[in-house]
Amino acid sequence: MTDKVHLGHRARKRFGQNFLNDSNIIDKIVTAIDPKPTDNLVEIGPGLGAITEPVVELSDRLTVVELDRDLAERLIHHPFLGPKLTVHQGDAMKFDFSSLLKGDAKLKIFGNLPYNVSTPLLFHLFEFADQVEHMHFMLQKEVVNRMVAGPGTKAYGRLSVMTQYYCHAIPVIQVPPTCFKPAPKVDSAVVRLIPKDAQQRSAKSTKVLNTVCLEAFNQRRKTLRNSLSNLMTAEQLSDLGIDPSLRAENISLSQFIEIANWIYDNKE
Ligand code: SAM
């Protein structure tokens, strides 16, 4: 058997399949999630059930979203897991997570995410911030580093600003490639995301905030005066108390929000 076959399933690269195969790391992830029978738990990409099984042992019930039809079928017919799972076969990037809300209990979402789509998937999940209690995701370590980076660092960029706009982001576990089958080429890490209260998220339009970040960081060597010239003038930046000769990497989250809100108020 090659390294690509795990528990009788041939890993599909196009679905970002790298299966966890290390009980010590799995234990640590489950401890971080801390599942309870009263929780409304959702797993993205359960795969062959490496995290699913120990979580269900503690929670008794779990909703999963899995794109791979064969893996979804396998879970539905699993003798022990099947009856305790609600399986949605489909793309998590198109999934309406708010449809899973029951009563007042917010969602607790987790997953060892497919690395090939992790950034768009995170942006999709951020849209449900108000309906989520917390999220735990295994990602490429470099992606986690970008999510938690602050101004003045190389890793600081659009993903840092948008992540920290929606959530408190805390790295919790580092995971080497040897813990997966097949082993990915990169190091991994688990991040805990705790959505901020709606009052703390003061952008008038997240779309405009995202556009400002795109423009500013697309040309990160340029000063704001130049990179944001399509959106506002140097004088208008100065009027907000923001030095137009600074670069995007020196601008804090609250300054990005101020810029975005000014553009929102001043453009139709
Ligand atoms: N949770 C398993 C584990 O830790 O061993 C599998 C993790 S594997 C890195 C990613 C999983 O996400 C695979 O099962 C893959 O089929 C699934 N997947 C890939 N793209 C997806 C998508 N867009 N929506 C839902 N699941 C997806």
Side-chain angles (χ1 to χ4, degrees):
M1 280 221 199
T2 74
D3 183 44
K4 294 205 169 71
V5 179
H6 184 49
L7 301 175
H9 173 84
R10 178 171 291 274
R12 294 180 166 126
K13 208 174 168 186
R14 68 181 184 284
F15 291 155
Q17 291 178 353
N18 298 95
F19 300 105
L20 263 171
N21 190 30
D22 183 299
S23 55
N24 185 31
I25 291 293
I26 294 169
D27 281 353
K28 285 188 183 167
I29 296 171
V30 176
T31 303
I33 300 167
D34 190 22
K36 304 260 175 359
T38 47
D39 288 343
N40 193 349
L41 287 152
V42 186
E43 180 174 10
I44 298 175
L48 293 159
I51 319 175
T52 323
E53 275 193 43
V55 165
V56 164
E57 264 174 41
L58 296 169
S59 69
D60 209 43
R61 290 223 52 79
L62 174 61
T63 300
V64 300
V65 184
E66 172 58 63
L67 183 59
D68 186 318
R69 277 176 202 279
D70 293 340
L71 294 180
E73 279 295 312
R74 214 172 137 134
L75 289 168
I76 290 167
H77 299 295
H78 190 289
F80 154 67
L81 287 174
K84 302 182 176 198
L85 297 180
T86 304
V87 179
H88 293 270
Q89 190 275 313
D91 185 347
M93 281 194 285
K94 295 185 185 141
F95 191 79
D96 176 9
F97 287 90
S98 64
S99 70
L100 302 177
L101 287 171
K102 297 172 212 134
D104 290 338
K106 289 191 178 185
L107 306 175
K108 296 184 178 177
I109 307 180
F110 64 94
N112 171 13
L113 297 187
Y115 294 173
N116 50 347
V117 292
S118 58
T119 305
L121 184 50
L122 286 166
F123 276 79
H124 178 63
L125 287 158
F126 291 153
E127 289 174 28
F128 301 96
D130 289 334
Q131 286 108 45
V132 172
E133 178 100 23
H134 58 56
M135 304 188 268
H136 291 84
F137 294 130
M138 175 93 74
L139 295 157
Q140 243 175 281
K141 188 171 143 196
E142 179 258 327
V143 172
V144 172
N145 288 345
R146 286 198 277 130
M147 292 172 88
V148 304
T153 62
K154 252 189 167 174
Y156 187 62
R158 180 175 73 111
L159 185 61
S160 328
V161 176
M162 295 309 287
T163 300
Q164 293 163 37
Y165 175 72
Y166 284 104
C167 297
H168 299 284
I170 308 125
V172 283
I173 307 164
Q174 304 230 10
V175 188
T178 47
C179 296
F180 301 85
K181 227 177 145 193
K185 291 199 175 71
V186 292
D187 283 326
S188 302
V190 177
V191 67
R192 171 181 294 140
L193 298 170
I194 303 173
K196 293 181 176 174
D197 292 338
Q199 303 93 283
Q200 284 181 277
R201 305 199 311 264
S202 56
K204 295 180 180 175
S205 159
T206 48
K207 200 167 160 228
V208 175
L209 180 63
N210 189 45
T211 304
V212 170
C213 291
L214 272 174
E215 295 271 327
F217 285 108
N218 263 351
Q219 313 177 58
R220 56 186 300 141
R221 301 301 306 155
K222 287 195 174 176
T223 61
L224 292 185
R225 168 199 315 275
N226 292 319
S227 61
L228 295 184
S229 61
N230 287 337
L231 301 168
M232 65 198 295
T233 65
E235 197 183 17
Q236 288 162 340
L237 277 164
S238 297
D239 288 347
L240 288 179
I242 297 170
D243 179 351
S245 66
L246 290 175
R247 296 191 174 113
E249 65 194 28
N250 301 117
I251 301 300
S252 67
L253 168 62
S254 56
Q255 288 174 315
F256 273 113
I257 295 172
E258 269 186 78
I259 294 172
N261 284 351
W262 185 92
I263 292 168
Y264 181 86
D265 286 338
N266 289 279
K267 308 267 165 187
E268 57 283 5

